[in-house]
Amino acid sequence: MKQLSVFLENRVGRLEEVLDVLAQEEINILSLSMADTSEYGMLRLLVSTPEKGRAALKERGFSATLTEVLAVKMAHKVGELRRVLKLLYEAGINVEYMYALHTKTDEAAMAIKPSDLGTAVTVLQKAGVTFYEADGE
């Protein structure tokens, strides 16, 4: 999936400005994560139309990029996240960051940014792990 990443100054109202742009463009937010320091923040979003979102934000002066991430489906059970991450660890793949995804099902889901996307997909698929596609399926 393509993730929309937005670099933000850490000041009152800046996040609202991003959300306003997305709302004006009728772009639905599927999931998001925000990390911050005292001076800036990194907003990571999975949205309904990432290319349109990036273009709209850039037009309004935001620093916005697209990054490929894996939207991994997992069973809701003890140790499942550990099992998935162990597969990556054993293949020598670093997890640069991850965050939980909301789903309409009873299963768990994580957005994972691996250091080697192609190998991560191969390793996880061989182990029977499945992914959400860009259309939410």
Side-chain angles (χ1 to χ4, degrees):
M1 293 187 81
K2 289 185 181 178
Q3 169 191 271
L4 179 59
S5 299
V6 186
F7 185 81
L8 298 173
E9 301 89 2
N10 194 355
R11 64 175 172 82
V12 173
R14 197 65 171 151
L15 175 59
E16 197 281 330
E17 292 171 11
V18 170
L19 300 179
D20 185 54
V21 169
L22 297 178
Q24 287 177 21
E25 296 294 326
E26 297 186 4
I27 298 169
N28 189 33
I29 298 170
L30 308 172
S31 190
L32 67 82
S33 170
M34 182 150 177
D36 71 325
T37 68
S38 61
E39 296 177 16
Y40 69 91
M42 178 57 73
L43 179 63
R44 295 180 173 115
L45 309 105
L46 296 180
V47 298
S48 56
T49 50
E51 292 87 359
K52 181 180 177 184
R54 179 184 63 181
L57 289 165
K58 285 178 120 7
E59 285 175 9
R60 290 168 179 90
F62 289 94
S63 175
T65 60
L66 295 177
T67 306
E68 290 288 335
V69 297
L70 300 177
V72 178
K73 296 180 183 181
M74 296 178 289
H76 251 300
K77 66 180 186 180
V78 173
E80 185 67 4
L81 178 59
R82 180 182 180 273
R83 180 186 78 84
V84 170
L85 296 181
K86 187 174 182 183
L87 292 165
L88 297 176
Y89 164 74
E90 289 175 345
I93 299 169
N94 183 44
V95 173
E96 296 176 4
Y97 57 83
M98 66 181 183
Y99 52 94
L101 301 179
H102 171 73
T103 67
K104 295 179 185 177
T105 68
D106 289 334
E107 62 195 0
M110 295 294 289
I112 299 175
K113 172 64 170 81
S115 57
D116 182 338
L117 186 77
T119 302
V121 168
T122 300
V123 166
L124 294 176
Q125 283 179 332
K126 283 183 182 176
V129 175
T130 56
F131 308 98
Y132 284 98
E133 301 296 326
D135 62 3
E137 298 297 317

